[in-house]
Amino acid sequence: MVQRKITKTALTENAVLDALESAVMTLDAQHKLRFMNPAAENLLRISQHQARGQTVAALCSIVGEDRFAALFADATDLNGTILRRALPLQLHDGSHAVVDLVVTPLADGHLIIEMRPMELPARHAEEEMQDRIYGAAQEMLRGLAHEIKNPLGGLRGATQLLERELQRPELKDYTRVILHEVDRLHHLVDRLQGPRSRPIFASVNIHQVLEHVRRLLQTELPTGIALRFDYDLSIPEVYADQEQLVQVFLNLLRNAQQALDRHGTILIRTRVDRYVTLLHQKFRLALRVDVVDSGPGIPEDLLPRIFLPLVTSRAAGMGMGLAIAQGLVRGHGGVVHCHSRPGETIFSVSLPLGQHREEPQ
């Protein structure tokens, strides 16, 4: 009976740690990994099964002269918590992260390590801003659509009546131009408002979607642009509207192509994230698709507004691709994030995987 109580307590503690967004690890007296929560797996890009028994130094290193061993020894000697802020890390796969590091000693030389990624507050702030901007844009577009469509309807009707009264065929060419432009404006307003139909959900293999998009795009790519892939083929099927996902990634890839201006690299990467918050709901599993280009980057003043309709840095662009992609992704309960700097722009699409949904905290 005592053993059962201990097991239940341990399971409850692990469940609490699993739900945290901070990366948490426990180390034994030799400072080797005993446990890591999903956030730590995401941050360090390694599974608990692979990492168990290794030292933290084998999974990541502190950029500079500091060493984990010294921090751990200081925490043990002081018998108190040590906090290091904005610590730059290099991960075992060569990537980088910046974290706040908390080291807490336990009995018998064991340690609890907590790493809080600096990007989390920025990501949450970005999502809150996107929510406000998206809601305001949709409200503005609904009003704008009403004010534009009403006179367009009257203009179209009057033109059709005028066309019936005209006897000379060459004059009817002018009315056809008017009708064509009226219909074009009507279609533009519809596009500004976003998708009119709800997604038709079914099980979809994301890699089949991406391969279909690749075939569509391949014929348009200049010879100087290389299209590369980094797929995690173990990713299960996602519950989504396949046609809408094709539209999302076609828009993102065409944007990447236009940013490169006939020379550079586009990378498509698929991964699974665990315990992710999307649109204020928490999911145990989420699909993440990154579209990465090596272009000059997005101007810093434009970055907060890139998902708004009609916002574009290209003279010939309409600024609709990203707005449409965001609307379609949000219709799937997902989010789109963008990180950009000269030489690397990443658009990340995150979608819920399976039915592993939890109530928002």
Side-chain angles (χ1 to χ4, degrees):
M1 182 64 70
V2 173
Q3 181 61 41
R4 182 176 298 175
K5 288 182 179 178
I6 293 173
T7 302
K8 285 183 177 180
T9 301
L11 288 173
T12 301
E13 290 174 351
N14 286 350
V16 171
L17 294 177
D18 283 350
L20 296 177
E21 288 189 313
S22 297
V24 178
M25 295 170 281
T26 59
L27 310 183
D28 62 18
Q30 287 72 46
H31 297 166
K32 293 184 177 180
L33 187 86
R34 297 177 64 246
F35 167 82
M36 66 194 308
N37 69 349
E41 292 179 315
N42 288 339
L43 174 67
L44 299 179
R45 303 187 182 186
I46 190 169
S47 70
Q48 180 175 212
H49 176 73
Q50 294 172 306
R52 188 177 285 116
Q54 297 191 49
T55 63
V56 176
L59 306 177
C60 61
S61 59
I62 301 173
V63 178
E65 298 183 358
D66 291 323
R67 295 292 182 268
F68 283 111
L71 289 174
F72 297 164
D74 289 345
T76 302
D77 292 343
L78 291 172
N79 194 29
T81 298
I82 287 181
L83 169 64
R84 293 287 303 277
R85 293 196 178 276
L87 204 62
L89 300 181
Q90 180 169 337
L91 309 183
H92 71 96
D93 65 353
S95 58
H96 292 80
V98 179
V99 301
D100 287 344
L101 177 70
V102 181
V103 182
T104 304
L106 301 175
D108 303 324
H110 292 216
L111 298 172
I112 292 182
I113 311 299
E114 182 182 0
M115 295 181 179
R116 303 168 184 164
M118 298 291 291
E119 68 175 11
L120 277 180
R123 181 184 176 111
H124 294 327
E126 180 188 353
E127 288 184 1
E128 290 292 336
M129 180 180 293
Q130 279 193 20
D131 277 347
R132 290 195 296 270
I133 290 176
Y134 185 80
Q138 290 302 303
E139 185 175 349
M140 177 193 71
L141 290 174
R142 281 193 293 269
L144 184 64
H146 177 76
E147 294 299 324
I148 292 176
K149 282 185 175 182
N150 278 348
L152 282 181
L155 182 60
R156 195 179 204 288
T159 304
Q160 288 174 323
L161 291 173
L162 177 62
E163 187 176 39
R164 293 174 191 169
E165 299 297 323
L166 295 174
Q167 301 299 319
R168 293 165 53 189
E170 63 270 20
L171 293 179
K172 292 187 177 184
D173 289 341
Y174 296 111
T175 58
R176 293 191 187 100
V177 169
I178 296 173
L179 291 172
H180 174 77
E181 290 303 305
V182 166
D183 290 341
R184 188 179 67 83
L185 287 172
H186 198 286
H187 180 63
L188 174 60
V189 172
D190 284 340
R191 291 182 65 199
L192 284 170
Q193 288 184 280
R196 300 177 67 87
S197 59
R198 297 174 63 86
I200 301 174
F201 288 98
S203 292
V204 175
N205 184 314
I206 189 60
H207 299 114
Q208 289 181 359
V209 169
L210 295 174
E211 282 298 292
H212 177 65
V213 172
R214 178 188 65 80
R215 288 191 294 270
L216 292 175
L217 193 71
Q218 199 73 56
T219 57
E220 307 173 10
L221 282 180
T223 54
I225 295 180
L227 191 56
R228 297 178 180 169
F229 302 87
D230 180 5
Y231 289 164
D232 179 355
L233 297 178
S234 67
I235 294 176
E237 292 189 337
V238 61
Y239 200 57
D241 184 314
Q242 181 163 324
E243 292 303 317
Q244 290 193 3
L245 289 190
V246 168
Q247 184 68 57
V248 167
F249 294 111
L250 196 57
N251 287 2
L252 292 179
L253 284 164
R254 280 181 173 153
N255 269 19
Q257 173 194 343
Q258 291 158 0
L260 292 178
D261 192 22
R262 308 188 70 81
H263 181 77
T265 302
I266 300 173
L267 170 68
I268 304 177
R269 180 171 55 221
T270 59
R271 293 292 185 268
V272 170
D273 291 332
R274 300 178 65 190
Y275 289 91
V276 177
T277 302
L278 305 175
L279 298 182
H280 309 293
Q281 294 197 32
K282 196 156 194 175
F283 297 88
R284 292 184 184 275
L285 297 174
L287 163 70
R288 190 184 82 246
V289 181
D290 299 326
V291 177
V292 188
D293 72 69
S294 60
I298 299 170
E300 188 174 346
D301 62 329
L302 190 64
L303 201 54
R305 300 180 287 117
I306 55 172
F307 292 107
L308 283 173
L310 305 181
V311 173
T312 179
S313 60
R314 295 186 298 112
M318 290 182 60
M320 293 299 300
L322 292 178
I324 290 172
Q326 188 200 43
L328 294 174
V329 171
R330 290 178 71 94
H332 284 72
V335 296
V336 187
H337 286 281
C338 177
H339 301 279
S340 185
R341 62 182 181 181
E344 183 184 66
T345 296
I346 306 174
F347 281 92
S348 298
V349 175
S350 296
L351 298 169
L353 267 179
Q355 302 301 314
H356 304 283
R357 181 176 296 189
E358 296 183 355
E359 294 300 320
Q361 294 182 344

